[in-house]
Amino acid sequence: METENLKPQKYPTVFVHGLFGWGERDELYRFVPYWGLSNGDMMSFLRNEGWDCRAASVGPLSSAWDRACELYAQLTGSRVDYGEAHSKKYGHSRYGAEFDTPLIPCWSAENKVNFVAHSFGGATVRLFMDILANGRPEEISAAKDVGSAPSPFFAGGHGDMVHSLSALAVPHNGSTLTESSGSLSAAVIGLCVAAAKALGIIDYNGVFDFKLEQFGIYRCRDESLSDYVTRMLGARFMSTGDHALHDLSVDNSLALNKTLSVFPDVFYFSYPTCRSHEGFASYRHRPDRGMTPILKHYSASIGKWYGGATAGGYPIGREWLPNDGLVNTFSAMYPFGERFTVFSGESPSPGAWNVMPVTRLDHFAVMGGIFNASPAEVKGLYLDIMKNIDKTY
C-alpha cells in the first residue's frame, strides 16, 4: 500500500469568523459562504482534500466574551450561558441559544480541536481558550449566590483540549480604524451595507442575523439589511461596551491581552496581511490598486493616522500604517509582549507565535474575495494553513 500521500492523524479544525461574519449553521452560508465568498466554500474544499473542517457561527457584532460563551455551547451542544456576573454587569439575559448537537462530538483532551480564526475571531478564540483553561471563579460564585448551576465552561481545567490556533488577519493589538474613522458607527454601517451589495445579499431580507437575543434584539423577516443594521446600532447595547467595536480598539485589545494566557503545549500561527504601500511624498500608506474597492477608504484612513496617541494614551507610530483595509499589519503579527518566532516552514514551536511572511491579500480576499482574489491563490493559502497544522503532529 502506498503511504506517501496519506495525511497524518489529525484533530478536527473549527473555523471562527470575524466581525459581521457567519458560519455554516447560519442561513446566509447557503447563499454566500463566509469562508470562500465568491470562490466557493472552503469548508467543502478542505473536507474533500481530507481535513475535518467545520465553520462555527457566533454573534457577528457580539463581544469577545459573549462570542466565547457561544462557541463553547456550540462545540458541546448545550445552551449558551453568558455568566451570571457578566450578564448582570452588562444588563442582558444570562442564557442564549441552545444547540441540540455538538459541533465536535467526543471533544476531549484525547480528541483535541484546532482553531482557525479570521479577524475578530482571534480575540474570540484566545479568550475562549483562557476561560477553558483557567475558568472564571467570579462566575462560579455569582451563579451559586443566585442558587443556579454555573456553566462547566467557567470551571476551567481544560486547557489541554485545544491543539492549535491559526490567526488569519487578526488584530491582536486592536485596529486604528476605531481611531481614524471619526464616526465608527457610520463607518460600520457603510461597510456592512457596501459589502452586502457587493455580495448580492442586500435584498435578501431576513437571512442575516446579529444574534443579539440576549439584548432583546431580534431580526425581522420583512426588514432590509440596511434598516436592520441601523436599528441595531441605535440600540441600547451599543452604549454598554459589551460588543465587538469596543473590544477592537487598540486600548481595549491591549487590556484584554494582559489578562490572557499563552499555553506551552498549544501551537500558535499568525498570518499577517497587507494590501497597502507607502506613498512617494510621505510615510502615509495608500491602498494597492488590487484592494477591494469598498475597503480603500478605510485603508487610506488607517494609512495616514499616526504620530498621535489613542484615547488611553498609547502612541501610534509609522509602523502602524501598513494595513489590509481594516487591520494594521503591525497589529496582526502577534500579541505584544508574547513570545514569537519567524516560521521557517519546518517544525513549528509550541507556546510561541509562529509568524508567517506577510500575505499580500486584503481583509476580504483572505476569506475568498468578493471579486478580486484568484481561486488558486485562496485555495493555496488555506491548504498551507492546514499543512502547517499537520506539521504539529
Side-chain angles (χ1 to χ4, degrees), residues 183-197:
S183 172
L184 186 57
S185 294
V188 167
I189 292 174
L191 178 62
C192 183
V193 173
K197 287 180 179 178

Side-chain angles (χ1 to χ4, degrees), residues 351-365:
W353 286 92
N354 296 272
V355 181
M356 303 295 164
V358 175
T359 298
R360 298 298 301 185
L361 290 172
D362 67 46
H363 204 70
F364 286 170

Side-chain angles (χ1 to χ4, degrees), residues 82-106:
Y82 296 109
E84 175 67 24
H86 175 88
S87 301
K88 184 176 181 179
K89 177 180 179 180
Y90 291 104
H92 65 65
S93 299
R94 175 178 167 181
Y95 298 104
E98 186 163 357
F99 298 94
D100 296 330
T101 58
L103 190 61
I104 304 295
C106 304

Side-chain angles (χ1 to χ4, degrees), residues 226-374:
S226 58
D227 287 344
Y228 184 22
V229 172
T230 302
R231 177 169 63 87
M232 178 273 306
L233 289 176
R236 181 191 63 81
F237 101 100
M238 287 298 293
S239 65
T240 66
D242 191 25
H243 54 77
L245 300 183
H246 173 273
D247 291 350
L248 279 166
S249 72
V250 173
D251 291 332
N252 292 317
S253 293
L254 295 178
L256 178 63
N257 286 347
K258 293 179 180 179
T259 70
L260 302 180
S261 301
V262 176
F263 304 102
D265 296 326
V266 174
F267 291 88
Y268 298 86
F269 296 94
S270 190
Y271 294 81
T273 49
C274 183
R275 206 68 172 95
S276 68
H277 60 276
E278 189 174 298
F280 292 111
S282 72
Y283 293 113
R284 293 182 177 183
H285 263 244
R286 303 177 184 276
D288 290 353
R289 180 174 296 179
M291 179 178 283
T292 304
I294 59 177
L295 292 178
K296 289 185 176 181
H297 169 73
Y298 306 102
S299 176
S301 296
I302 295 172
K304 67 183 180 182
W305 199 86
Y306 76 99
T310 65
Y314 186 86
I316 301 297
R318 294 200 303 267
E319 66 275 12
W320 285 81
L321 299 182
N323 66 84
D324 69 0
L326 293 178
V327 171
N328 313 76
T329 306
F330 181 59
S331 181
M333 295 290 185
Y334 58 90
F336 297 158
E338 295 186 1
R339 289 179 55 226
F340 74 96
T341 182
V342 177
F343 186 52
S344 65
E346 298 300 325
S347 299
S349 301
W353 286 92
N354 296 272
V355 181
M356 303 295 164
V358 175
T359 298
R360 298 298 301 185
L361 290 172
D362 67 46
H363 204 70
F364 286 170
V366 294
M367 296 156 56
I370 295 178
F371 44 71
N372 66 328
S374 73

Side-chain angles (χ1 to χ4, degrees), residues 17-41:
H17 63 75
L19 184 70
F20 287 123
W22 58 96
E24 288 181 296
R25 294 195 179 191
D26 293 307
E27 185 180 0
L28 180 56
Y29 205 93
R30 295 190 294 111
F31 300 98
V32 181
Y34 179 90
W35 300 99
L37 292 180
S38 62
N39 282 309
D41 181 17

